[in-house]
Every structure is written in C-alpha cells, then in structure tokens.
Amino acid sequence: MELEDFMITAAAALLGFISLFKNLLVFIRWLHATFLRKPKNLCEYGSWAVVTGPIDGIGKALAFELASKGLNLVLPKNLRDYGLWTTVTGPTDGIGNALAFELAYPYPRYFREVDRELMESMLRVNLNAVMWVTKGVIDGMLKKKREAILNIGSASSVYLSSYPLQTLYASTKT
C-alpha cells in the first residue's frame, strides 16, 4: 500500500513539475522577447508599410512607430483630417477609404438585435477588408522577397471569455 501511495505522489509531483516548468519557460521566452532581444530592423523588409487601421488604438501607435523607424506609410485618405500623413495615390485609395475605421456597434446590444445591414458592414470592414488588402500586396512582396505581414486582433476576443452585448464585434476582431 505504501508503494502505491508513493507512486501516486511521485506521479502527481512530476506532473506538477512539468506544468510549472512549462509556465516558467513561457515566462522566460516572454521576458527575453520583451526586454532582452534586439529589435528587428524593419527596413530590412522594405521601405513601405501598409497600415489598415491607423485611426486609433494599436493601429495608430503602430503607424507612429513605423514612421519613427523611417518607413513610408500607405494610409487611408481621410487621415489628413487627423494631421497625420498623406497617402500614396493609386490603387490603394479605394481600399484605404474602406479601411478608415473599424466597425463596432454604436451601442451594446444583444446579438439577436443586430440588424443584417450592421452585421454585413462589420464583417466587410473588420474581416474582408483586411484579407483583400493582404491579398492585394502579397504578390509584390513575394516578388521582392521582402515580406512581413502583421495582423492584430483585439483583446476583447482573447482576454474576456465573453464580451457581453458585443458578440459580433468580438468575433470579427479575433
């Protein structure tokens, strides 16, 4: 009986150690990536960057950071109103106008209350637009053998187990 108890205790201790070690390893990797690793030289990927959501939040901070590193930015036309940068004229203009904002509910509501028009608009802006912009630039990136695509979601879909009254928004930002 004592041997069985010892084996069970040893197995539980081993599983606990493995779990602790795994979490410690994740923490050490985060620590290294956040504080110790040398930052990448973004200009190695090319001199241009397309920022699809630079009006507010992470997208705006990302646009400023990329510009501070010396990259040329392609941004939606109406950013001139915000005193940021001017855009490159050309085929990106039509796409840029559609990407000038990310669509969310005007006010919280139950999913059953979201009308078809708002649902289609949210899907078009938060999902389709990002995919079509990516599709539009990827061939040129591959030809130049310089590519880096960064898609950023929302914490509303990661850190909250549910986003009450914002279900469609959270699912489109995943």
Side-chain angles (χ1 to χ4, degrees):
M1 193 69 174
E2 288 181 21
L3 183 61
E4 286 179 15
D5 289 342
F6 174 77
M7 295 297 284
I8 291 172
T9 304
L14 180 62
L15 288 174
F17 176 76
I18 291 171
S19 177
L20 179 66
F21 184 73
K22 178 184 171 197
N23 289 326
L24 183 63
L25 190 59
V26 168
F27 176 72
I28 289 170
R29 289 176 66 195
W30 170 82
L31 194 65
H32 176 265
T34 305
F35 299 109
L36 303 174
R37 183 177 58 191
K38 235 172 98 175
K40 290 186 180 281
N41 178 3
L42 299 176
C43 292
E44 289 178 4
Y45 293 101
S47 61
W48 287 93
V50 178
V51 180
T52 59
I55 297 294
D56 197 18
I58 294 172
K60 182 177 181 180
L62 183 61
F64 277 102
E65 182 66 21
L66 292 172
S68 76
K69 300 295 183 194
L71 290 165
N72 301 302
L73 300 179
V74 177
L75 303 171
K77 266 187 176 179
N78 63 353
L79 281 182
R80 291 183 200 136
D81 301 340
Y82 291 87
L84 297 174
W85 301 271
T86 57
T87 88
V88 172
T89 56
T92 58
D93 286 348
I95 296 168
N97 288 334
L99 297 174
F101 59 96
E102 77 178 27
L103 197 58
Y105 299 169
Y107 58 89
R109 59 177 85 172
Y110 291 103
F111 183 72
R112 68 178 179 271
E113 297 171 351
V114 177
D115 59 72
R116 184 181 185 95
E117 183 180 342
L118 176 60
M119 187 180 297
E120 288 176 356
S121 295
M122 192 173 297
L123 291 170
R124 190 171 39 255
V125 172
N126 291 351
L127 293 174
N128 294 352
V130 175
M131 294 304 107
W132 284 113
V133 167
T134 303
K135 181 69 173 153
V137 299
I138 199 163
D139 289 338
M141 293 169 67
L142 290 172
K143 284 179 187 172
K144 293 181 179 183
K145 297 189 187 226
R146 290 181 171 181
E147 65 269 352
I149 296 173
L150 173 64
N151 287 322
I152 298 175
S154 172
S156 66
S157 59
V158 177
Y159 295 108
L160 299 174
S161 58
S162 67
Y163 197 21
L165 305 179
Q166 297 282 343
T167 304
L168 183 61
Y169 173 78
S171 66
T172 63
K173 297 306 288 181
T174 301

